[in-house]
Amino acid sequence: MTSKFGAQLKKELLELLIQSGTYIASFIFLFGFSCHYFIFNGFFTYNQSVDLDNYFASFPFLMIAFIPSLTFNAFKNDDTFSNLALTDSLKFLAKFLAAFIIFAFNTLVTMTTLPFIARFGDLEASQILTGYIGILFYGAMLLSFSLFIQILFENKIASLVVLIVSLFAFNSIHVLPKYHAISSEFFINLIKTLSFSWHFESALKGILNTKDLLFFLILTFAFLFLAVEIYKAKKGKKFWSLQNSLVLVLIILAIANSAVFEKKIDLTKNKEFTLSKLSVTTAKDCFSSVNITYAYSKELKNLNPQVNDIIDLLFKYSDENPSINIFIQNPEKDKNLQKKLKDLGISAQNFSNSNHYESGLNSYYSAIIIEDENYVKTIPFVLSTNGLEYLITANLFSIQSGKEARAIVFCRNNLTLENGYPYLVPYLESCGLSVFTELKIEDLELTDPAIPVLILGGSTLTQDELHLIQERMEEGRKFFFCTSPYTIDVEGDWKVLDSQNALCKLLENEGISLSRDFVLDENCFEMTMQSQNFESEYQKIKYPFWVKDGNLTFYWPVAIQLDKNGRNEDKYEILAQTSEEGYLKSVYDDELKIDTNPFSKDNLVKDISTMGKHALAVKKDNIRIIADQYFPSFLMSYTGSLENINYMADSLIEMNGFENLLELKNKKARDTSFTKIKSTEELNSCRMVTQLFTVLFIPIFTVLLSLTIVLSIRNFKKKGKAK
């Protein structure tokens, strides 16, 4: 029987391989896949992301055309192999496996594009693994469904039309609630359950969900079973037998109860969808009852599928400790909850709505309240799980211990917090820090000495305030200074302004001297500027005054000179520094102030005698210093990065003594940006090669190679028969 089945499978496979439609469909599948990801998805332009969500998202819709092509002629020569004396079930299984082999081969060929994608950024191995496992299970189910539709209709054209329409409907039905208001939660869940591609969502994230794989397996068996029984019925056998009825009931029960066997296996490198050890420990240490309420507008769930991830994350905490109670509520149907949110200062936030039948911007709730009998903590608005685990764990820790991360912030230069540092306080608060900005220097002795103090600038500090700061420092209070000897006209033409910063003198008493020279570096920010010669053209200019160290950018920094007073330099830890190409530039040159114009060629003239690594940020005991008063300022909008204030947040959290939370805070989703591309020229060069190989060479070469092999085998067999 095994040899007969093998012969049947070979013949079914050969039938597919000698059809020109198979090669045309394969080329369209591979060509369409590459075009969708690299061209239509804006891979090289507006998207510039190696995120494989879009990579795998193209498969379901490409399969709408590819799958029918593999089964369209499945029953063309239905009686050709009747002499093999196989059961109808084995014949159908052979047809299914032959089509699946062709499908799997073409699917795996798409993996040849991965090295080209990896040239632009880092790929997540787990996402590749789970994505392709999901695609193969998904494809197997669609092939069995296709065979079922083909045998259901006598007319091949009618079956093809029904199949394509059905595949399109079942692949996209889950987005229906996004475009049409559906009030019934039952129907929303039913629609998602019926959607084939909805069960592929977990695999896109790097998660193996046994429920989804079981769903595909059950339906693969179900459609094959139905196809075989309908085929038998057309030959005169009764369809509605007791045996068939029992099998159908078992299939329905298996699908309905598949959630019982659900297990999500997080294979991501950073375990993005699994609670960390710290979160598990914090949850288990909650001895008193804690209520976590997720208040969100029901419509938001249809617009933002990540709401489900938020809910899943919350229930992971309750799984660790039954004292943590999770409540999922809709404020729009609960007036008491609405009032509670209002009292806590939480309001609905605007969120873009792509529903074409309503306005494009509506207000929705998506807030989390964490409370026990003594404390109430809130997360006013959340749309994804990115950073959410840190916030929940930090708030649980705060409730149980009565401790929280705090910071006092003073702005003491020619800027204000609101205009000069608009992102700083909101970002610190979004990281769970309680920030105090209304205090005066003289109020410090009345506050908790454990709260670190951040001082921006320093040029407007009075002698009395400096004396008070020195007293607090001697008492052991933690200070974080972002300061420099000079003031820059950051809101004007970027010229150096005269500034008397007495704070620098105070720091000298601590053995830390800020150089009177700017430090420049060849490793600097590359800005896009309008050409001085042609207004319609733009050019990339390296601006050595904006020094880079990793992801951090320092704006007109000066060098920190340690151990000036003969103190032990080992007491200091350098936190950031220039590259070996760093060099000093005097503010005055023949009595003229330094030219900070980005187009100035003078800045590129290096003083070789000063070249080397220069400290930009240091810490010593209870003091941290960044030699740049504009480090967390609005200038970050030029660089398009929040890394500077993220560094500030990390530093202040550490200064609060919560080092254990930092690793959790920085447990982020994978970076999908073009991290390996360093210039526009490199991007354009890689773009040309990638498009040539992925869009044209790989599809054409695969089809021609397959066709050549098949023709060679046929000719070899013909010669063998002739002999």
Side-chain angles (χ1 to χ4, degrees), residues 331-349:
E332 289 154 358
K333 289 190 175 182
D334 190 332
K335 297 298 181 183
N336 292 330
L337 180 57
Q338 266 193 37
K339 183 179 182 303
K340 183 176 183 178
L341 292 171
K342 184 178 180 180
D343 293 341
L344 291 171
I346 298 173
S347 59
Q349 301 292 313

Side-chain angles (χ1 to χ4, degrees), residues 296-410:
Y296 78 97
S297 303
K298 186 176 65 176
E299 293 81 2
L300 186 63
K301 192 174 185 179
N302 302 327
L303 300 171
N304 181 41
Q306 292 190 72
V307 164
N308 294 302
D309 296 335
I310 296 171
I311 294 173
D312 288 345
L313 178 62
L314 294 179
F315 277 104
K316 286 176 182 176
Y317 283 89
S318 63
D319 290 341
E320 298 296 335
N321 189 341
S323 296
I324 300 177
N325 308 302
I326 308 298
F327 300 95
I328 311 299
Q329 296 179 341
N330 181 3
E332 289 154 358
K333 289 190 175 182
D334 190 332
K335 297 298 181 183
N336 292 330
L337 180 57
Q338 266 193 37
K339 183 179 182 303
K340 183 176 183 178
L341 292 171
K342 184 178 180 180
D343 293 341
L344 291 171
I346 298 173
S347 59
Q349 301 292 313
N350 289 333
F351 185 79
S352 178
N353 182 358
S354 58
N355 186 330
H356 299 294
Y357 302 96
E358 298 179 9
S359 60
L361 199 65
N362 289 319
S363 295
Y364 301 99
Y365 287 98
S366 184
I368 296 176
I369 305 171
I370 306 173
E371 58 188 328
D372 66 359
E373 57 183 11
N374 298 315
Y375 299 96
V376 178
K377 300 289 182 179
T378 64
I379 303 172
F381 195 67
V382 58
L383 287 176
S384 72
T385 57
N386 192 19
L388 183 57
E389 183 186 349
Y390 159 74
L391 291 174
I392 295 173
T393 300
N395 282 314
L396 283 175
F397 175 79
S398 177
I399 285 177
Q400 292 300 308
S401 65
K403 301 176 182 179
E404 64 178 351
R406 297 168 291 176
I408 298 172
V409 180
F410 295 107

Side-chain angles (χ1 to χ4, degrees), residues 68 82 84 95 136 211 231 272 401 489 492-493 502 588 671 704:
S82 57
L84 292 176
K95 293 178 186 293
L136 293 176
K211 176 186 175 182
Y231 178 76
E272 297 171 29
S401 65
D489 185 12
D493 57 7
Y588 290 90
D671 185 0
L704 291 179

Side-chain angles (χ1 to χ4, degrees), residues 38-39 43-44 116 119-120 677 680-697:
F38 290 105
I39 299 176
F43 181 80
F44 302 103
F116 293 95
R119 175 65 184 83
F120 296 86
I677 300 298
T680 304
E681 292 75 18
E682 186 179 4
L683 173 63
N684 291 332
S685 175
C686 293
R687 175 179 184 172
M688 185 180 298
V689 174
T690 301
Q691 287 182 330
L692 179 65
F693 274 85
T694 60
V695 177
L696 292 176
F697 180 77

